[in-house]
């Protein structure tokens, strides 16, 4: 019984998402509205629903990904084909069979195109719908037993049969409303996406679009009117838009390339201004191509321009920071934008996620990217590291001998897991002030971390390597000892990223994921950035208690108990909250609240726990765990400061975000800042305690709200969090959050 209920809920969610996916959404309320609109023609709506159910059931029974079934990816193309067939043909048993077969055919085309386009990281959009509906329409002349629908010709009679004369009068009064030609065509074009030829359907979709996404709403209007005025500019027959309703190509292209597959920004607006005239030209020409076959172009222009542009973006050698592709899709332009803004460095930096600095203790950058001496041209993206004393000197005594230098003879560590693919040894150290230009790189090695990403470390001491070519090495493993070989006038470590396995290869511009930087007397966690000249850096090491408690592992289960301060305005009336750490079909890890099914997505890399997204009930205790521990370095350093920016949609209400959403691509005035400070560490005979203090501040510039958390972590993976928000206090505790 429980399994049957789960299957019904799964199929219901997959069905709703199939409607919403037509507009790149997963919003259930918007999906329900679209379902209602599809039933403006009851038979077309029924045929569409049958198509979705057929496609999703077949995909499920054949064992295809439940992730893609559930999010509607396998259903929305069949929905559109079903709507088209239901509108074109008269109802009947034969048509029902045709709808079922067509939905299966469309599903197979979806699966085929997904396999073909996946290697290019491209979506299949509504191409399966195009191929499916064209096949049916081309075959329709031979389907003599199927009657062509006359619905829409005698609409008043059809409306009378549904609701009598009263409904007919309402219909006529609405039809008599005077709308500007452009507005009427716009609304009818919106309705035509669901095969509805009246502007009332378009108006309802537009209202739904407004509440689903203010950015998508804006781009829908912008895209259409750019195309509309371009028609006027080139003196094209604008009346075609009035009876073919293919204006939805302009609407969908604008939403897709301005807001959904690309991060909304002033530059995405600019590109829509440039791209929409191209969509118009393709629309005009393709109508002539298909006219001899009596076929509509349907969504062909939208698919051609969208796929072409997305493919071109992926060919860029140096992707522009001004036009960013969406890398983590949240099925909402606003969520994509806010998430990107809060994770700009991580998402826009070329970075191998689990790198750490290749040394122990505190070192300084003596030469950074675009260095003064040797980091030039194709070798400009590199770092040189040395050790300095309190007087910022690299050496003791007079510095006349290599042994005087603090970094000399210090061990060098592997920065990340990989394979040693190249190694050069046998070059003696230079005397101070001398360089070996013939053997420029000195004793060096290259490590391959994945198929096209390498790191090179140079100027080792002769004969000191602890690894050899072909060895598989782990992060933190000793590689050798710092020396003074090659073009090295004084002992230092040269470190660079590259895309080829050869010593001396051109450097590759990549950021370091996480490292600790000393600023005067304080320590700050730096993330996804590039150390600069004279920066003082620490590799940082994890602390067992913090790693065991907050280094969440898939499959882990734990319970948080509210010790005091239970307040229904803040959390639901539950005392014990159960959680489980899971991983989804595409490898994202998250903590799930078993009471509310809320999810907090996170990653643990380079000793940093970082939450990325929260979905679900904000009265779940998981939400407060998410806010309190939004970003935590899993090592202990007294007075270490960790700062981050939480996406506005994670802390502000939808009413406060409504206006912000409209202008978010240009300016975000709602800020939410997170700060974590490492307080005390107490060591006892039986236990050890670490105290942290986190604080979140959000709101308008002149009015801020605050949430502060006192976090105490003890031996045995015990955690206690005292959370204060708006004068309300909650204390939560877990006796054992053992991660591994």
């Amino acid at each position: 019984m429980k399994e049957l209920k789960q299957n019904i809920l799964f199929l219901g969610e997959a069905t709703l998402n199939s409607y919403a996916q037509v507009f790149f959404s997963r919003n259930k309320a918007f999906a329900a509205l679209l379902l209602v609109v599809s039933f403006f023609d009851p038979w077309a709506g029924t045929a569409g629903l049958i198509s979705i159910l057929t496609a999703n059931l077949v995909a499920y029974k054949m064992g295809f990904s439940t992730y893609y079934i559930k999010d509607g990816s396998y259903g929305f193309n069949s929905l559109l084909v079903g709507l088209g067939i239901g509108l074109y043909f008269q109802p009947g048993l034969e048509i029902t069979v045709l709808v079922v077969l067509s939905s299966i055919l469309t599903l197979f085309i979806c699966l085929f195109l997904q396999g073909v386009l996946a290697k290019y990281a491209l979506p299949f959009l509504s191409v399966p719908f195009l191929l499916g509906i064209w096949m049916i329409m081309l075959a329709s002349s031979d389907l003599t037993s199927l009657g062509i629908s006359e619905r829409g010709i005698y609409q008043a009679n059809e409306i009378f049969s549904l609701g009598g004369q009263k409904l007919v009068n309402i219909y006529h009064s609405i039809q008599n409303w005077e709308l500007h030609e452009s507005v009427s065509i716009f609304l009818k074009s919106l309705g035509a996406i669901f095969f509805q030829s009246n502007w009332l359907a378009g108006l309802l979709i537009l209202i739904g679009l407004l509440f689903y996404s203010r950015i998508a709403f804006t781009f829908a209007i912008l895209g259409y009117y750019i195309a509309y005025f371009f028609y006027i500019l080139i003196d094209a027959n604008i009346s075609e838009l009035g009876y073919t309703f293919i204006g939805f190509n302009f609407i969908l292209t604008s939403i897709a390339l301005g807001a959904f597959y690309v991060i909304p920004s002033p530059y995405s607006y600019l590109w829509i201004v440039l791209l929409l005239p191209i969509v118009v030209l393709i629309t005009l020409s393709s109508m002539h191509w298909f006219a001899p076959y009596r076929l509509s172009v349907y969504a062909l222009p939208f698919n051609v321009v969208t796929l072409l542009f997305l493919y071109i973006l992926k060919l860029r050698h140096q992707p522009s920071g001004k036009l960013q592709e969406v890398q983590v899709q949240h099925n909402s332009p606003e969520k994509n934008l806010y998430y990107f803004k809060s994770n700009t460095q991580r998402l826009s930096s070329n970075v191998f996620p689990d790198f750490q600095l290749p040394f122990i203790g505190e070192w300084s950058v003596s030469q950074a990217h675009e260095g003064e001496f040797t980091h030039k041209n194709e070798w400009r993206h590199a770092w040189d590291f040395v050790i300095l004393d309190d007087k910022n000197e690299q050496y003791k005594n007079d510095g006349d001998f290599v042994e005087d230098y603090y970094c000399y003879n210090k061990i060098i560590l592997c920065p990340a897991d990989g394979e040693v693919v190249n190694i050069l040894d046998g070059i003696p150290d230079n005397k101070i002030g001398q360089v070996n230009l013939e053997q420029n790189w000195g004793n060096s090695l290259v490590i391959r971390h994945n198929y096209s990403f390498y790191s090179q470390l140079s100027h080792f001491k002769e004969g000191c390597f602890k690894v050899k070519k072909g060895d598989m090495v782990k992060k933190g493993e000793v590689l050798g000892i710092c020396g003074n070989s090659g073009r090295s006038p004084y002992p230092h470590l040269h470190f660079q990223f590259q895309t080829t396995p050869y010593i001396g290869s051109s450097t590759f511009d990549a950021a370091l994921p996480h490292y600790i930087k000393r600023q005067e007397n304080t320590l700050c966690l730096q993330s996804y950035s590039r150390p600069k000249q004279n920066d003082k850096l620490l590799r940082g090491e994890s602390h067992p208690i913090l790693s065991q408690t907050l280094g969440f592992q898939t499959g882990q289960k734990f319970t948080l108990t509210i010790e005091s301060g239970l307040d229904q305005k803040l959390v639901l009336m539950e005392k014990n909250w159960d959680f489980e750490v899971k991983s989804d079909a595409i490898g994202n890890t998250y903590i799930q609240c078993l009471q509310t099914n809320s999810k907090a997505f996170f990653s643990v890399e380079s000793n940093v726990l970082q939450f990325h997204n929260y979905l679900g009930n904000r009265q779940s205790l998981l939400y407060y765990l998410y806010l309190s521990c939004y970003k935590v370095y899993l090592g202990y350093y007294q007075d270490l400061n960790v700062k981050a920016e939480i996406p506005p949609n994670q802390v502000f209400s939808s009413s406060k975000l409504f206006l912000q959403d409209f202008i978010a691509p240009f300016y975000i005035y709602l800020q939410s800042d997170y700060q974590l400070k490492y307080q005390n560490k107490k060591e006892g005979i039986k236990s050890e305690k670490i105290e942290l203090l986190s604080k979140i501040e959000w709101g308008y510039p002149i009015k801020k709200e605050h949430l502060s958390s006192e976090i105490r972590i003890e031996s045995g993976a015990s955690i206690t969090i005292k959370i204060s928000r708006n004068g309300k206090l909650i204390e939560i505790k877990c006796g054992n959050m053992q991660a591994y």
Side-chain angles (χ1 to χ4, degrees), residues 503-521:
I503 293 173
S505 295
S506 299
T507 57
F508 178 71
D509 184 18
L512 298 176
H514 302 287
Y515 59 90
I516 297 173
K517 176 181 174 182
R518 182 178 297 281
Q519 293 179 323
E520 296 180 353
N521 295 322

Side-chain angles (χ1 to χ4, degrees), residues 67-188:
Y67 176 85
Y68 291 112
I69 297 172
K70 190 175 183 179
D71 80 349
S73 295
Y74 292 156
F76 78 91
N77 276 283
S78 293
L79 161 67
L80 295 174
V81 171
L83 289 172
I85 294 174
L87 191 70
Y88 188 75
F89 294 103
Q90 289 283 24
L93 178 62
E94 301 93 336
I95 292 300
T96 304
V97 174
L98 181 64
V99 166
V100 170
L101 295 176
S102 300
S103 67
I104 295 174
L105 171 63
T106 305
L107 170 65
F108 288 170
I109 297 172
C110 279
L111 296 168
F112 171 76
L113 289 177
Q114 184 182 43
V116 171
L117 296 175
K119 58 185 176 182
Y120 304 107
L122 291 173
F124 49 74
L125 299 177
S126 55
V127 175
F129 152 69
L130 287 174
L131 297 177
I133 197 71
W134 282 337
M135 289 182 190
I136 300 301
M137 293 302 141
L138 286 171
S140 62
S141 60
D142 295 321
L143 303 176
T144 54
S145 65
L146 306 180
I148 304 300
S149 172
E150 296 181 352
R151 300 191 311 282
I153 299 175
Y154 308 105
Q155 274 191 334
N157 292 339
E158 296 164 18
I159 293 172
F160 182 85
S161 65
L162 292 173
Q165 187 61 43
K166 191 173 183 180
L167 187 60
V168 172
N169 293 337
I170 294 173
Y171 169 75
H172 282 307
S173 65
I174 292 175
Q175 291 296 101
N176 290 332
W177 290 358
E178 292 187 7
L179 296 176
H180 188 274
E181 178 192 40
S182 67
V183 176
S184 177
I185 296 174
F186 170 64
L187 294 176
K188 288 179 179 180

Side-chain angles (χ1 to χ4, degrees), residues 477-494:
E477 184 176 339
V478 176
L479 299 176
I481 295 173
C482 183
N484 194 40
S485 58
R487 189 174 180 178
S488 179
Y490 54 84
H492 71 282
L493 172 67
H494 175 93

Side-chain angles (χ1 to χ4, degrees), residues 291-324:
Y293 306 101
R294 297 182 180 180
L295 288 177
S296 171
V297 300
Y298 294 115
L300 178 65
F302 152 67
N303 282 277
V304 169
V305 173
T306 301
L307 286 173
L308 182 65
F309 190 69
L310 290 178
Y311 181 69
I312 289 171
L313 288 181
K314 297 180 188 303
L315 296 179
R316 294 180 294 177
H317 179 65
Q318 289 289 341
S320 170
K322 298 177 180 178
L323 191 67
Q324 291 279 352

